[in-house]
Amino acid sequence: MKLDGKVAIVTGASSGIGEAIAKQLANEGASLVLAARREEKLTDLASFITNQSNGKAIVVKTDVTKKEDMEQLVEQAKQEFGKVDIVVNNAGVMLLSFMKNDEVDQWSQMVDVNIKGVLYGIHAALPDMLKQESGHIINVSSVAGHEVFASSAVYSATKYAVRALSMGLEKELSKTGVRVTNISPGAVETELTHHITDEEVLNMFKDRASSMKALQADDIARAVVYAVTQPDYVNVNEVVVRPMQQ
Ligand code: NDP
């Protein structure tokens, strides 16, 4: 298996894309450190990985908006498995709303989870990766980090920020042995939209529901596996995965 002996942290592993990434990395032989706030979901996933895939996985209850939680996450990964090779900064929230509706608390939450969460992941993992002269940081941005649409202004701002962080990091780390990949998914069928409260956005979604077949979380997980299983000298910097228009 291509990732035998590798240790991977996945944030937002309790559902959707993060869960699929964790399963596929485990299938390739990586030991998994599963992070999110819903511990029960992570424990179920860890059991699945150990029982079904014969893999190794631990659960670390983590709020990515807390710097100390992210430091503790990396610490526990090192205690259990000795090192960290791959960090997937995947946790995110998409609380779409029209700016005129002034959902200021939701704006803050998106900034905290989507931007600060990624920054704290880099902060916690990068020093050891630089010391070991190897590692791979995967940041999950979005097609909304390439395009802005009505109601996505703040969400897009956070995802443009994630891309900017990936692009800067990739250039800074080009001679260090640490690789950086930015993944930009289009619409994927997950729980992501379940937390939207803006009625205008929900109505807009209803109108558009049948025009597109969404991607599955596994489609994105395969892109992550592709990036992390390349030879050491290959740095896959940006992967955009969109659904075909119907
Ligand atoms: P889900 O809602 O299924 O998953 C989001 C994950 O983020 C959950 O595991 C959730 O775990 C975690 N999370 C949210 N807040 C926090 C927090 N404060 N601390 C730790 N974990 C947190 O959505 P997706 O799987 O779709 O989303 C994964 C990523 O993919 C996000 O960054 C999203 O922006 C991005 N993306 C998704 C697209 C889509 O269409 N689905 C398209 C483009 C990008 P918990 O609640 O247990 O903490």
Side-chain angles (χ1 to χ4, degrees), residues 52-108:
Q52 309 271 324
S53 316
N54 215 10
K56 289 184 196 154
I58 61 164
V59 167
V60 184
K61 186 177 178 189
T62 306
D63 182 339
V64 298
T65 68
K66 296 187 176 144
K67 180 161 68 78
E68 299 72 23
D69 275 24
M70 291 303 285
E71 290 168 349
Q72 185 56 26
L73 171 63
V74 169
E75 219 31 63
Q76 291 208 30
K78 287 194 302 186
Q79 269 173 28
E80 184 71 24
F81 298 120
K83 59 172 182 161
V84 175
D85 299 296
I86 299 164
V87 173
V88 187
N89 287 313
N90 161 76
V93 285
M94 184 183 74
L95 306 168
L96 298 179
S97 66
F98 287 89
M99 294 203 77
K100 67 182 165 70
N101 295 340
D102 196 28
E103 296 285 359
V104 65
D105 291 340
Q106 298 193 354
W107 300 348
S108 295

Side-chain angles (χ1 to χ4, degrees), residues 21 36 44 48 79 86 99 119 192 205 221 230:
I21 292 171
D44 289 347
F48 178 88
Q79 269 173 28
I86 299 164
M99 294 203 77
L119 283 172
L192 195 69
F205 270 16
Q230 297 306 303

Side-chain angles (χ1 to χ4, degrees), residues 63-68 70 89 91 107-124 158 161-162 165:
D63 182 339
V64 298
T65 68
K66 296 187 176 144
K67 180 161 68 78
E68 299 72 23
M70 291 303 285
N89 287 313
W107 300 348
S108 295
Q109 197 188 339
M110 286 191 283
V111 168
D112 286 348
V113 178
N114 299 359
I115 303 179
K116 288 190 189 166
V118 170
L119 283 172
Y120 293 152
I122 293 164
H123 153 75
T158 66
V162 172
L165 295 173

Side-chain angles (χ1 to χ4, degrees), residues 119-160:
L119 283 172
Y120 293 152
I122 293 164
H123 153 75
L126 185 57
D128 286 312
M129 288 183 173
L130 289 172
K131 265 187 230 147
Q132 72 199 18
E133 297 181 353
S134 72
H136 201 141
I137 295 173
I138 309 263
N139 295 328
V140 179
S141 175
S142 172
V143 161
H146 297 249
E147 297 158 25
V148 187
F149 52 94
S151 82
S152 87
V154 180
Y155 178 66
S156 284
T158 66
K159 292 301 185 177
Y160 271 79

Side-chain angles (χ1 to χ4, degrees), residues 9 21 34 50 54 59 75 102 117 133 144 155 163 189-190 195 201 205 225 244:
I9 291 176
I21 292 171
L34 308 171
T50 38
N54 215 10
V59 167
E75 219 31 63
D102 196 28
E133 297 181 353
Y155 178 66
R163 259 182 81 216
E189 213 175 288
T190 67
H195 311 290
V201 175
F205 270 16
V225 169
M244 293 289 280

